[in-house]
Amino acid sequence: MSPRNSVLEARRTRQRIVERGLTLASVEGLEGLTIGRLATELGMSKAGVLGHFGTKERLQLAVVDAAAEMFAREVPQRVRHVPAGLAHLTALCEAWISYLERALLPGGCFFTAVATEFDGRGGPVRDAVAGLDALWRRDLSIHIRRAVVAGDLPAGTDPDQLVYELFGIMLALNHALQLHRDDRAPERARRAVRQRLGSPVPLGER
Amino acid sequence: MSPRNSVLEARRTRQRIVERGLTLASVEGLEGLTIGRLATELGMSKAGVLGHFGTKERLQLAVVDAAAEMFAREVPQRVRHVPAGLAHLTALCEAWISYLERALLPGGCFFTAVATEFDGRGGPVRDAVAGLDALWRRDLSIHIRRAVVAGDLPAGTDPDQLVYELFGIMLALNHALQLHRDDRAPERARRAVRQRLGSPVPLGER
DNA sequence: CCTACCGATCGGTAGG
DNA sequence: CCTACCGATCGGTAGG
């Protein structure tokens, strides 16, 4: 309510908190993300941080939203110009691998971390993560179906099976990168994707 | 030091603590495993619990050990009678799937949970988990090499690539079971394994 | 193995 | 957005 802080400035502060929270949570987890530490790192008071959200759970949900936006920006939006079907699916997988490889967040894939952290519990955070995961699976599934209809994937392809296997490839990539810092893992992920989807059309020929 | 508590009884108490700790940690994580909660659930004092380990970190390491023993008992030891090579590898994968499917621990695979929880940090707990993970990969790799030498897997097979893909299948299984309670996931895992290793020898013909 | 205690930190609130 | 504060819980220690 200080006259120096306009609504716009408050919104910017909120965004700063959420962005720092996302970075912190990727390493410490969403439960290990504490208001006190966040406040210290931002040079704010705890009450100043919490005031933007009300409760820790709503802060966690805001961080989940930010992670979803980041993933959308880095993966699906990067390839939105690629035609639907197999080409799009292949481009999505490459963008997904690249996203994990570049490690934009220090703790690796935020959703993998939060999914394993919250999968044994109930509550809105778990529901939000599960919902986003399901949405993403559906996106992949749609492109697989298109590719099958177009004859670019074998007619007998089971979309859910392929989604399952693609998820496995990416989970294994995140695991190898984060736990073993194995820099040959991205290459293995690409090989595994290629085996399932075929070679991508080279950039120059698109 | 109470005369009623022999060394043997102390060891049994220690085991009770570790077992309960393993169950708790599979849901709450190794950091979310608190000495106070463990004490309450066991009807003990905090000091009584901590006395067996000295520090929380050593309690965490004891829980990691117990998880490794459980996994060894449930997966490799169950198939130790199966001949080395492809048959053994196939049996290992089936035991691994079955282990995840039966969900002996309420939070799913302990190592997946702890690996993602600690992969962004340093310290002995992370090192212990990374070491066990590497050991398990090596076991799988050895059987793959044997199978290639015996001509049961294609000559060009890259062992590390196959280990990578098998890990992905199991990580995806744990993910689907825990986050979505998707009971068709074990079937998908089996199909994916079959595609890579071929059909297992039926039980009756072994 | 217990009671009794320590300083630090947790999420959150009151009041401005 | 701040200071000042709340009860609860954290990991850990002293002493028996």
Side-chain angles (χ1 to χ4, degrees), chain A residues 92-111:
Chain A
L92 278 176
C93 287
E94 174 52 33
W96 196 356
I97 291 170
S98 162
Y99 168 67
L100 293 172
E101 194 178 10
R102 285 174 293 149
L104 296 194
L105 294 173
C109 179
F110 175 84
F111 284 104

Side-chain angles (χ1 to χ4, degrees), chain A residues 190-199, chain B residues 161 165 195-196:
Chain A
R190 289 191 173 94
R191 236 215 279 182
V193 168
R194 230 178 291 131
Q195 202 214 306
R196 270 152 206 80
L197 304 185
S199 293
Chain B
Q161 179 76 24
E165 297 192 16
Q195 202 215 304
R196 270 152 206 80

Side-chain angles (χ1 to χ4, degrees), chain B residues 85-94 96-97 140 143-144 147-148 151-154 157 159 162-163 165-166 169-170 189-201:
Chain B
L86 183 62
H88 199 93
L89 182 66
T90 307
L92 278 176
C93 287
E94 174 52 33
W96 196 356
I97 291 170
L140 293 170
H143 286 288
I144 292 170
V148 172
D152 292 333
L153 281 178
T157 303
L162 187 47
V163 168
E165 297 192 16
L166 292 175
I169 292 167
M170 304 308 171
R190 290 191 172 93
R191 237 217 277 182
V193 168
R194 229 178 292 132
Q195 202 215 304
R196 270 152 206 80
L197 305 185
S199 294
V201 181

Side-chain angles (χ1 to χ4, degrees), chain B residues 114-170:
Chain B
V114 174
T116 57
E117 187 181 4
F118 280 78
D119 61 18
R121 317 179 194 184
V125 174
R126 185 223 147 88
D127 293 347
V129 171
L132 288 164
D133 190 281
L135 262 180
W136 176 231
R137 294 178 114 89
R138 220 178 51 116
D139 272 11
L140 293 170
S141 185
I142 284 170
H143 286 288
I144 292 170
R145 275 180 245 271
R146 284 219 192 206
V148 172
V149 170
D152 292 333
L153 281 178
T157 303
D158 176 345
D160 289 334
Q161 179 76 24
L162 187 47
V163 168
Y164 177 95
E165 297 192 16
L166 292 175
F167 252 78
I169 292 167
M170 304 308 171

Side-chain angles (χ1 to χ4, degrees), chain A:
Chain A
M1 293 299 191
S2 147
R4 284 205 222 91
N5 275 322
S6 65
V7 174
L8 210 135
E9 275 167 356
R11 212 190 295 186
R12 228 181 286 163
T13 302
R14 199 193 122 108
Q15 203 179 344
R16 267 184 72 223
I17 298 170
V18 171
E19 261 160 34
R20 188 64 149 254
L22 180 54
T23 306
L24 261 173
S26 88
V27 176
E28 311 285 346
L30 266 181
E31 214 55 64
L33 171 69
T34 71
I35 294 154
R37 181 158 171 200
L38 206 41
T40 306
E41 292 203 6
L42 292 165
M44 291 174 65
S45 66
K46 286 192 339 179
V49 169
L50 199 56
H52 286 274
F53 308 95
T55 65
K56 179 171 178 177
E57 189 172 78
R58 287 212 282 218
L59 165 63
Q60 292 174 324
L61 288 169
V63 170
V64 170
D65 273 352
E69 269 170 44
M70 186 187 209
F71 187 81
R73 196 169 54 236
E74 295 295 333
V75 183
Q77 284 186 30
R78 285 219 168 190
V79 303
R80 65 187 182 283
H81 61 280
V82 180
L86 183 61
H88 200 94
L89 183 65
T90 307
L92 278 176
C93 287
E94 174 52 33
W96 196 356
I97 291 170
S98 162
Y99 168 67
L100 293 172
E101 194 178 10
R102 285 174 293 149
L104 296 194
L105 294 173
C109 179
F110 175 84
F111 284 104
T112 304
V114 174
T116 57
E117 187 181 5
F118 280 79
D119 61 19
R121 318 180 192 182
V125 175
R126 185 221 147 89
D127 294 347
V129 172
L132 288 164
D133 190 281
L135 262 180
W136 177 231
R137 295 180 114 90
R138 219 178 52 118
D139 272 12
L140 293 170
S141 185
I142 284 170
H143 286 289
I144 292 170
R145 274 179 246 272
R146 284 218 192 206
V148 172
V149 169
D152 292 332
L153 281 178
T157 303
D158 176 344
D160 288 335
Q161 180 76 23
L162 187 48
V163 169
Y164 177 95
E165 297 191 17
L166 292 175
F167 251 79
I169 292 167
M170 304 309 169
L171 288 168
L173 175 56
N174 190 62
H175 189 262
L177 284 173
Q178 294 300 315
L179 191 61
H180 299 292
R181 321 220 162 274
D182 176 4
D183 50 16
R184 281 160 309 174
E187 177 197 318
R188 296 216 178 91
R190 289 191 173 94
R191 236 215 279 182
V193 168
R194 230 178 291 131
Q195 202 214 306
R196 270 152 206 80
L197 304 185
S199 293
V201 181
L203 272 166
E205 301 174 24
R206 268 213 285 253

Side-chain angles (χ1 to χ4, degrees), chain B residues 32-125:
Chain B
L33 171 69
T34 71
I35 294 154
R37 181 158 172 201
L38 206 41
T40 306
E41 292 202 7
L42 292 164
M44 291 173 66
S45 66
K46 288 193 335 180
V49 169
L50 198 56
H52 286 273
F53 307 95
T55 65
K56 180 172 178 177
E57 190 172 78
R58 285 212 282 219
L59 164 64
Q60 292 174 324
L61 288 168
V63 170
V64 170
D65 273 353
E69 270 171 42
M70 186 187 208
F71 187 80
R73 196 169 56 236
E74 295 295 332
V75 183
Q77 285 187 31
R78 286 219 166 190
V79 303
R80 65 187 182 283
H81 60 279
V82 180
L86 183 62
H88 199 93
L89 182 66
T90 307
L92 278 176
C93 287
E94 174 52 33
W96 196 356
I97 291 170
S98 162
Y99 169 68
L100 292 173
E101 194 178 12
R102 284 175 292 151
L104 296 193
L105 294 174
C109 178
F110 175 84
F111 284 104
T112 304
V114 174
T116 57
E117 187 181 4
F118 280 78
D119 61 18
R121 317 179 194 184
V125 174

